[in-house]
Structures are given as structure tokens and as C-alpha cells.
Amino acid sequence: MTEAGRRTPGGALLVVGDVVTDVVARHRTPLAPATDTAAAIRTLPGGAGANAACWAARSGHPDVRLLGRVGTESADWHERALTGAGVRPLLVPDPEAPTATVIALVDAAAERTFLTDGGAVLRLCPADWSAGLLDGVAALHLSGYLFFATPSRAAALRALRDARAAGIPVSVDPASAGFLAELGPERFLEAVAGASLLLPNADEARLLTGAPDAEAAARELSRRGPLVAVTLGAAGALVAEAGTVTARVAAPAVPPERRVDSTGAGDAFTGAFLAARLAGADPAEAAGAGCAAGAEAVTVVGGRPPSV
């Protein structure tokens, strides 16, 4: 291994994270309280971890695996969707809790607001993890959603510990500014200590550091871990290493009329970034690949690549 989070091409990417049933409601007019608002509604497979895995496969990585916990009622559907996307599903059926569900309210500007029921996702537990899952793995990615409940946090910490012991780099997507605020930024940072790559968006980066802007936050986070990539939405991304911003990457322009849903744009960045790193790209090149995937993601409904 040379740079942080970079491995010799050829190994698998293992994602441990959330598999979610998304109900995406796109409304062209503001929500009308206490009455009806017309919307186009679709039920789709989603989840930050699962989306990132699908985008990594879409970006060309030949061996992407996903460990997640789902309700038995939709396990087959999610397994078929992941397999169809080129991801090897390692799903744990939960007979007691339904698959996590997210209602994504997407407005006319393609901005999304989530209502989240964690369901089976937050019941992933250490018994679902085995160090043997790291066989043939070149990089481990953990969805930040796992850190917001006791059982799934314990599973994530065990996976992180085993990966570090095996010399496998670990990346973490902090996932949710709202849930980070509830958990506490310092508690989250302590939990992910040892990860070689953090992938927050600008809001998450500022929350984790208390810094006034994304650039200052990126610098501060990179003092705590070797490599940080902060997404800035349509403005692109920042890469920081050892307390210094080392790259500013622009995102491809997307005409407003083509922007339909920002759900999963950050997951697309993550998946493409990780695939590029595993293919040998440097951090700036990987961020460019991530920005291109994020720009594509906002042109489709839901968080998965358009072919899924």
C-alpha cells in the first residue's frame, strides 16, 4: 500500500452498510400542509451503502460486495437489484424488523429531504460480521449510518478493527448531518479513528469540526486522518491531506432542466471515488471521477445508476 486508501488493483471492495427501500416523491409545487400535494412517486432500492456499491460497480470495479441487514419481506427484491447492478450481495435477512425505509421528498430544485425509518439496518450486529469476509478484499467502506445505533456501531467497529489488523484501508461516509448532531461529532470521530479516508459533504465536515467553511473543515479533518474528500454539490469537491487542501475539483455542469433528484449524488461520488482509487488513481483523479458520477446521479430518480 502506498498512499492512504490506495491498494494494488485487483482486490474486492467490501461495503458494509445500509440497504433501504426508497419511496421517492417528487413534488413540483411546495408542500401544502393539511391537504394534498401532487407528486410523482416511485418505490426504488436505495441506501447509502448499497448505492455506493452500485456506483462502484458501474464505475468499473469488477468485484464489489455488500454486507447489510434487510427484512425478510423484501430480501429477494433487494438481492436481485444488487446482483443486477453488478454487486455481490451478502444480505442478512431479519425476521423481526422490516427493511429500512426512506421517504425522500424531492422539490422542484431537485433538493431532497428524508424521512428515515432505520428498520433492519440498525440491527446489523457483530454476529453478522466475520473477519473471513475480508478474504480477497482490497478496501473496506463503512456507511456512517451504522454508527448511529448501538448494535450496528459495534459491528462497524469490529469490521474496522479487523480490516486494520489485516492492513486493509477503511473509508467512512459520515452519512447524515442530522444524525451526526444527535450522536455528537466527537463521539463519531472517536469511533472512526483509524479510518484512512473520510468522505463527508460540506455540512457534515463543518459539523464534525466546527470550522466556518468547507475548506477549513477539510484541512482540520485531514489532521485526524490521512485523506479527506469533501463534496460540495454542484461546486465539486475538495481533497485534503495532512492538514492541507491538495486539490479542488470542479463538477461537470448539469443544466437545471436535467436535474431531477439529488438523492444519492454523494453516494455516487463515494462509489466512483473508491473504484478509481482501487484502479490506481491519485486522490484528485478519484475526486474527478466522483464528481462526474455525482453529476450523472442528479439526472436520474433515486440513488442508483440509471441502468439499475
Side-chain angles (χ1 to χ4, degrees):
M1 183 168 56
T2 53
E3 302 169 54
R6 183 174 183 171
R7 298 284 290 183
T8 302
L13 169 64
L14 173 60
V15 178
V16 182
D18 43 326
V19 180
V20 174
T21 299
D22 282 346
V23 180
V24 182
R26 297 170 57 221
H27 55 99
R28 304 298 87 188
T29 59
L31 294 174
T35 187
D36 296 312
T37 301
I41 300 175
R42 293 180 63 188
T43 300
L44 300 165
N51 293 344
C54 291
W55 281 98
R58 165 65 178 264
S59 299
H61 195 69
D63 188 351
V64 183
R65 309 169 188 179
L66 174 71
L67 173 65
R69 196 171 181 95
V70 296
T72 54
E73 85 289 343
S74 59
D76 289 346
W77 180 60
H78 280 290
E79 184 161 321
R80 288 194 301 270
L82 290 164
T83 301
V87 175
R88 177 181 167 191
L90 305 170
L91 301 183
V92 180
D94 190 321
E96 298 180 10
T99 298
T101 301
V102 169
I103 298 175
L105 305 175
V106 183
D107 65 18
E111 189 54 69
R112 82 290 187 273
T113 299
F114 293 152
L115 300 174
T116 303
D117 180 346
V121 164
L122 302 181
R123 287 164 54 88
L124 189 78
C125 64
D128 299 326
W129 171 258
S130 165
L133 291 169
L134 295 171
D135 291 347
V137 168
L140 171 68
H141 177 68
L142 300 174
S143 171
Y145 282 107
L146 299 176
F147 291 89
F148 303 138
T150 300
S152 55
R153 182 166 58 249
L157 291 174
R158 183 166 295 183
L160 192 157
R161 180 200 66 193
D162 288 346
R164 291 191 67 199
I168 296 170
V170 181
S171 56
V172 179
D173 167 17
S176 168
F179 290 155
L180 279 175
E182 292 181 18
L183 178 67
E186 193 58 36
R187 189 177 179 192
F188 179 84
L189 289 170
E190 289 173 359
V192 303
S196 53
L197 169 61
L198 284 181
L199 294 149
N201 65 26
D203 288 341
E204 293 155 3
R206 287 192 296 265
L207 177 62
L208 286 170
T209 60
D213 57 66
E215 187 163 328
R219 290 196 300 268
E220 178 60 28
L221 284 174
S222 71
R223 295 186 182 100
R224 303 184 65 141
L227 179 63
V228 175
V230 179
T231 56
L232 309 173
L238 297 171
V239 175
E241 302 172 77
T244 300
V245 172
T246 56
R248 297 170 178 81
V249 180
V254 180
E257 64 273 14
R258 293 196 62 214
R259 291 177 57 90
V260 297
D261 184 4
S262 60
T263 303
D267 307 331
F269 178 95
T270 292
F273 186 101
L274 295 174
R277 290 291 280 162
L278 285 166
D282 66 31
E285 293 167 339
C291 287
E296 183 181 9
V298 302
T299 68
V300 297
V301 177
R304 300 282 177 90
S307 60
V308 180

